Amino acid sequence: MCYRHRNFLRKNKWKEMSMLKFYFNRSIRKQNMSIFGQSKNPLTGTIAWEEKDENYDYYQEIARSAFADMLHDHERNEKYYMALKKAIERKHQNGEEANVLDIGTGTGLLSMMAAKCGADSITACEAFTPMAKFAIKIIEENGFEDKIKLIHKRSTKLTVGKDGDMVKRANILVTEVFDTELIGEGALSTFRHAHECLLQENSIVVPHSATIWAQVIESSSICAWNTIHPIQSKNKHLLNTSHCVKSCSGAAAVHDIQLTQFPYSAFKPLLSPQPIFRFDLSGKSPLLNDEKKCLQVKPIASGIAHAIFMWWDLVMDVDNEILLSCAPVWEHPDTKPLQDKGLSLEEIADLIPWRDHWMQAIYYLPVETPVTVNNEISLIGYHDEYSLWFQLINESITEIPDCERPICTCYVHIAYCRTRIGQLNDCTRNEKYIRALEKKVTPDTVCLCLSDGCLLGLTAVKLGAKKIFVLETNFLSRECIKMFVKTNGLSEKVEIVESTDDLPPENEINLIFGEPYFITSIVLWENLYFWYLASRYSHKVQRIPIAATLMGVIVEFKDLHKIRAPLGICEGFDLSSFDKLIQASSDKSDSPIEAQPLWEYPAKALSLPFVIQKFDLTQNVNEHGNINSSQNVPILTSGACNGVALWVDWQLDSEISVSSGPTAEVQAGKRISWDPFTRQGVHLFKDITNVTEQSIISSSFHFAPQCGNIKFDFSILSRNTE
C-alpha cells in the first residue's frame, strides 16, 4: 500500500472493507477493453456482473491521491514556505549552495516553493506513478522545469553520484510524510535513510523536530465507542456483556477524530497534556523504531482514566520559531491569546486551522485506572515503526514494563466499526426499540431478527418471546452473537441462521425485527436490505420497523467540502491540472454520495429538512414498481451552498421512530446537531454557489427495486428559473 493513502484508509476503513467484500478478483475483458467484474448489490444481496472501465482501479487510485484537504491547508503551506525560506537563506548566508531534496513531492508544491525561495538545485522524488507524471506537468506549467529535477522513485531507491539520481547529497531536506499518528506513513525510516544516504552533515531539515502529546481523560461518552455495555431497560439488565468483551484491548487501528468538535463538557481531563515522545528530525539524535517512555505525573483531578487524547506538533525551523500544531481547540497555542480577547472556545474553534489529513486520536487504555489528584502516576507510551499505544499505572515505577501493541481478542472490534459500537451503546435509541418490542412480544412470539450484530433482537427473549431466529451471514458478527447468547444463557431459545437460503418458513415465525443494520451497508439507505429480506414473507407477518423515510437538508459545510474542492491557484502556484486529473478520475470511480460522521463537521442548514422518499416496509418490495420523484427545495437563508446531507428515519410502529440524522430540530441558518453513532450520506457540489432566499435546489430521486439501484440528483437554481 502506498504510504500516502494510509490515512485515507483509516478514516474510511469501514467503507473500504465493505467495498472489498463487494468486489471479487474474477473478471473478464471485452474487446472494447472494458471489464466485467462480479459485484454484490448491498440492497438486494444479489451478485451480478458489472461493466467497468478497464482502468477503474487506476482511476480510483488517482482519485484517492487528492490528499483530502491537505493542499487547502493554508497554515501548513505557509509554515513550510517560511521554514524553507529560512533554510535556504541560512545556507546562502553561510556561503553554501542550497541544494534541496523534496521527498514525496506530490504535486510538486514544496519543490516550487524552494525554487521561488532561490534554491540552487532541487531534486524531488515521487513513487506514485500518476502523480509523478502530473507533478512534471505542473512544474512545467509553472515555469520551474529548469530548476526542479523530478525522480520517479521512492526516496529509499535514490542513488547519489556522477551517474546517479543526485550528483551529490543535498543539504536541505523538505518532506511531509506524516499522518494522524505522525509516524504512520513511515516517517521514521524515511528520515533515517535520508540522513544516512542522501544528506550531507549539518543539513537543515524541514520540519526540524516533532512532539507527540498525550492527555489522560475520563469520559463515559468516549468509552461508548470502544466496548459494548450491557443493555438495560427500566433499570433492569436485559443483556449482559461477557468478560471477554470487557477485558479486550479494543481495535488495533487508531481512532482518529476531530476532537475540537467533541463537547468539552463530555470529558474530564485528569492530566494536563504531556509531551510523551520527541523526535529530532535533524539527524543529530537517532530515530528509533521501537521506543518506550515513562512520565511520572501528578493528576490535576481525581477520576477513572478511560482513554488518552493524542496530537502532535512540528517545529519547522532550527530556531524553534515556527510551530505547526495539531492540538484540539482547548489546547491549541492560539487559543489563550484569543480567550484573552474575550472569545469563547466555540468561537475560537471557527478560527483555528481545520484539518482532515491530520486529526487528533483516541487511545483506549487496556485497563480503566482510578487516579487521585496530586498522587503521582506513571504514564507510559510505546511506539514501533508505525504505531503508538499507551498504558497507565497508578503508582510511580522505576522500570518500564514491556507491553505488546493492543489487538482485539473478542471479535467485536473486528466485526463492527466504532460508530456501530457506539450505536449499540446508545441508551435512548435502545429504549425506543425495546418499547416497540414490548408492544409486540408475547409468550407465543417467535421472532426472526434480520440485522447484523442484532443484540436488541436478543432482548426479545428476555421480554418473554418463545424463540428467536437470528440471521448472521458474516462469520465475525456470528461469533459475536454466539458469545452474547452463551453469556446470557439464551442458547435454548436462540437459533442462529447462517445463510439467507436457510431462513425459517413463514409458518414458524410471527414477528420480523431489524434495527436495521448490515455490515455491508456503506450509506444508510443500503440498510433497506432489511426490506428485501422481510419481503420473503407475506405482509401478514408483523414487523419492526414498518416504514423508512429518506430525508435530506441543504447545507453549508464549514470545512468538509474541502476534501473534494478544486485547488486552482494554491499559494501562488497553478495546480489546475491536478484538479482536472482528480476530478476526471473521481467521476469514473467514486460514488456521488459518500458516508461521513457529520457530527465532526460543522454545517449550517440552508433549508428545512425535506422528505425525499417514504418506503412502506410492510409491502413486498419485489412487487413495487420503479419510483421516480422530483421536487424543488426552497433555500431559506443565504450562504455558500456546497452540499446536501442525507439520512434515514425508521418508523418502528405508529408512535415510535428512530432517526439517523439530526438530534434536534433543524433551523435554517443554524448549525445542525447530528447523531454521533451513524455516518450520514453526503453529496458535495462540484461548484460552490452563493445562494439566497431567491434560490432553490432541484432534487430528483430514482429507485429501481428489481435491481436495487438508487440514484440522486441535486442542482442549484434560482427561483425565477423554477
Side-chain angles (χ1 to χ4, degrees):
M1 182 190 303
C2 182
Y3 282 140
R4 68 179 60 237
H5 303 312
R6 188 168 186 248
N7 202 42
F8 172 85
L9 291 177
R10 276 183 170 161
K11 184 66 180 172
N12 297 274
K13 57 185 171 293
W14 306 112
K15 175 179 177 180
E16 295 300 314
M17 287 173 65
S18 296
M19 290 300 289
L20 289 174
K21 294 169 188 169
F22 295 168
Y23 293 97
F24 299 83
N25 291 327
R26 298 190 300 270
S27 63
I28 58 175
R29 195 178 301 270
K30 292 174 61 180
Q31 287 185 349
N32 64 0
M33 303 306 286
S34 61
I35 289 177
F36 274 130
Q38 280 191 324
S39 64
K40 183 176 180 179
N41 187 295
L43 269 178
T44 64
T46 58
I47 295 175
W49 290 96
E50 186 176 87
E51 185 176 3
K52 291 185 178 295
D53 189 291
E54 68 163 339
N55 295 314
Y56 175 82
D57 291 338
Y58 170 83
Y59 291 131
Q60 189 175 62
E61 188 79 353
I62 294 174
R64 294 292 172 266
S65 66
F67 315 138
D69 71 306
M70 184 177 295
L71 294 173
H72 289 280
D73 186 346
H74 175 68
E75 186 198 37
R76 164 195 176 271
N77 299 341
E78 180 183 47
K79 291 189 173 179
Y80 262 97
Y81 179 83
M82 291 167 60
L84 260 175
K85 189 171 186 293
K86 284 186 68 173
I88 292 168
E89 288 176 349
R90 177 161 298 197
K91 287 299 181 184
H92 286 166
Q93 289 167 359
N94 292 340
E96 302 176 63
E97 289 186 345
N99 299 314
V100 176
L101 170 62
D102 175 8
I103 293 179
T105 193
T107 60
L109 179 64
L110 298 182
S111 287
M112 293 189 293
M113 285 181 176
K116 185 177 179 179
C117 291
D120 296 282
S121 73
I122 305 159
T123 302
C125 66
E126 175 57 53
F128 183 42
T129 300
M131 192 52 57
K133 291 179 179 179
F134 264 80
I136 292 173
K137 178 178 175 62
I138 291 168
I139 288 168
E140 289 177 351
E141 290 176 345
N142 283 273
F144 295 111
E145 65 272 21
D146 295 333
K147 297 182 179 181
I148 300 170
K149 179 182 180 182
L150 192 141
I151 309 297
H152 177 205
K153 289 182 180 179
R154 292 187 181 276
S155 63
T156 53
K157 301 297 182 181
L158 292 179
T159 57
V160 180
K162 181 180 178 181
D163 298 319
D165 300 312
M166 302 166 60
V167 176
K168 59 183 178 181
R169 293 187 177 212
N171 60 7
I172 296 175
L173 170 64
V174 62
T175 186
E176 196 281 85
V177 287
F178 309 114
D179 69 348
T180 289
E181 276 190 296
L182 182 75
I183 60 175
E185 291 189 1
L188 296 177
S189 58
T190 297
F191 280 98
R192 191 165 52 244
H193 176 270
H195 283 295
E196 291 172 357
C197 304
L198 304 175
L199 298 176
Q200 299 174 5
E201 289 188 19
N202 299 317
S203 290
I204 299 176
V205 178
V206 179
H208 180 71
S209 65
T211 302
I212 289 177
W213 295 83
Q215 183 175 32
V216 180
I217 60 98
E218 175 186 89
S219 174
S220 57
S221 298
I222 290 291
C223 289
W225 278 305
N226 189 53
T227 190
I228 297 176
H229 303 309
I231 295 178
Q232 301 182 90
S233 178
K234 301 171 184 174
N235 297 320
K236 178 183 177 182
H237 274 37
L238 293 180
L239 206 67
N240 292 313
T241 305
S242 72
H243 175 73
C244 179
V245 176
K246 293 176 183 177
S247 60
C248 182
S249 298
V254 65
H255 186 179
D256 48 353
I257 191 171
Q258 296 282 359
L259 275 182
T260 289
Q261 301 306 322
F262 189 75
Y264 192 70
S265 59
F267 69 94
K268 178 167 71 173
L270 301 180
L271 290 182
S272 57
Q274 303 295 315
I276 188 78
F277 289 114
R278 296 186 188 274
F279 299 96
D280 181 359
L281 306 178
S282 71
K284 294 181 172 58
S285 302
L287 293 171
L288 305 177
N289 277 353
D290 297 287
E291 197 174 3
K292 55 185 179 181
K293 289 284 182 69
C294 179
L295 302 178
Q296 311 291 343
V297 192
K298 291 183 178 181
I300 58 175
S302 300
I304 304 297
H306 290 134
I308 289 175
F309 290 165
M310 186 280 293
W311 61 88
W312 49 262
D313 59 35
L314 300 175
V315 173
M316 304 299 293
D317 64 319
V318 296
D319 299 318
N320 297 326
E321 295 176 344
I322 306 171
L323 179 69
L324 180 58
S325 175
C326 293
V329 64
W330 64 85
E331 292 295 341
H332 198 278
D334 293 341
T335 293
K336 183 61 167 61
L338 293 171
Q339 283 181 317
D340 291 343
K341 295 180 180 180
L343 274 67
S344 66
L345 280 180
E346 291 76 14
E347 292 170 322
I348 297 170
D350 289 335
L351 299 176
I352 66 171
W354 175 85
R355 300 184 174 96
D356 211 43
H357 54 103
W358 300 330
M359 290 185 282
Q360 299 81 38
I362 300 173
Y363 295 85
Y364 298 93
L365 291 168
V367 178
E368 295 181 358
T369 307
V371 301
T372 306
V373 64
N374 291 329
N375 285 356
E376 198 167 77
I377 62 174
S378 300
L379 172 60
I380 309 169
Y382 305 84
H383 76 79
D384 57 20
E385 188 173 359
Y386 299 106
S387 301
L388 307 166
W389 62 98
F390 300 87
Q391 70 167 316
L392 195 68
I393 298 177
N394 194 7
E395 61 181 353
S396 296
I397 59 173
T398 56
E399 184 175 347
I400 306 175
D402 290 330
C403 178
E404 295 295 321
R405 183 185 177 206
I407 58 172
C408 175
T409 55
C410 72
Y411 289 112
V412 165
H413 304 92
I414 304 173
Y416 310 124
C417 63
R418 289 190 174 94
T419 51
R420 172 57 174 168
I421 293 173
Q423 192 177 73
L424 292 170
N425 289 322
D426 187 342
C427 295
T428 301
R429 174 182 176 276
N430 290 349
E431 187 61 37
K432 290 183 177 181
Y433 278 99
I434 291 168
R435 280 197 286 121
L437 277 169
E438 286 176 330
K439 294 180 182 182
K440 298 291 185 183
V441 170
T442 71
D444 295 323
T445 296
V446 178
C447 180
L448 170 60
C449 297
L450 300 176
S451 284
D452 291 338
C454 191
L455 300 183
L456 286 168
L458 298 181
T459 67
V461 173
K462 293 295 186 74
L463 295 174
K466 181 179 180 180
K467 181 178 181 179
I468 65 170
F469 294 91
V470 180
L471 176 65
E472 283 289 353
T473 59
N474 179 278
F475 168 76
L476 291 172
S477 185
R478 186 162 62 244
E479 292 301 306
C480 293
I481 290 296
K482 287 180 180 178
M483 177 174 55
F484 278 91
V485 168
K486 181 178 180 181
T487 297
N488 290 274
L490 305 177
S491 300
E492 292 185 1
K493 291 191 174 184
V494 177
E495 181 176 332
I496 296 177
V497 181
E498 298 186 5
S499 169
T500 56
D501 294 332
D502 298 325
L503 288 172
E506 184 168 321
N507 61 3
E508 291 188 20
I509 65 169
N510 49 35
L511 176 64
I512 298 173
F513 175 81
E515 298 188 43
Y517 168 83
F518 297 96
I519 291 173
T520 53
S521 299
I522 298 174
V523 287
L524 290 168
W525 45 91
E526 289 176 352
N527 289 316
L528 286 171
Y529 181 44
F530 169 85
W531 192 11
Y532 285 84
L533 292 173
S535 292
R536 298 184 178 211
Y537 301 89
S538 74
H539 69 278
K540 297 178 182 179
V541 181
Q542 297 183 88
R543 58 199 63 184
I544 302 172
I546 59 172
T549 305
L550 181 56
M551 302 288 297
V553 64
I554 313 302
V555 298
E556 174 186 308
F557 286 113
K558 177 179 173 288
D559 296 298
L560 181 61
H561 61 285
K562 296 174 186 174
I563 67 172
R564 296 288 178 266
L567 291 159
I569 303 300
C570 177
E571 310 302 334
F573 303 101
D574 185 358
L575 300 186
S576 55
S577 290
F578 177 70
D579 293 336
K580 294 175 183 176
L581 169 70
I582 296 299
Q583 188 59 62
S585 298
S586 180
D587 288 345
K588 294 180 180 179
S589 65
D590 288 341
S591 169
I593 309 288
E594 57 186 279
Q596 294 284 354
L598 290 186
W599 74 268
E600 295 186 56
Y601 303 103
K604 179 178 74 173
L606 300 181
S607 74
L608 292 179
F610 58 95
V611 174
I612 295 175
Q613 187 62 46
K614 293 183 178 181
F615 306 97
D616 183 350
L617 305 185
T618 64
Q619 294 182 353
N620 189 324
V621 65
N622 300 305
E623 297 174 359
H624 211 295
N626 288 356
I627 297 173
N628 294 284
S629 63
S630 62
Q631 61 182 305
N632 289 331
V633 181
I635 297 296
L636 300 182
T637 186
S638 59
C641 182
N642 51 33
V644 182
L646 306 163
W647 68 95
V648 176
D649 290 341
W650 302 96
Q651 196 70 36
L652 307 189
D653 58 28
S654 59
E655 299 175 325
I656 305 171
S657 65
V658 173
S659 177
S660 59
T663 57
E665 182 183 358
V666 175
Q667 300 181 51
K670 302 293 184 180
R671 179 174 171 177
I672 305 172
S673 175
W674 296 100
D675 173 20
F677 302 129
T678 49
R679 291 173 179 254
Q680 292 76 26
V682 178
H683 171 83
L684 295 174
F685 289 110
K686 293 180 182 178
D687 298 312
I688 300 172
T689 303
N690 291 322
V691 295
T692 68
E693 291 83 350
Q694 300 303 311
S695 304
I696 59 172
I697 302 297
S698 173
S699 168
S700 64
F701 174 77
H702 170 75
F703 176 39
Q706 301 305 314
C707 57
N709 286 340
I710 287 181
K711 293 181 180 179
F712 301 85
D713 185 66
F714 302 99
S715 57
I716 303 172
L717 307 171
S718 62
R719 285 193 193 272
N720 57 17
T721 62
E722 186 176 353

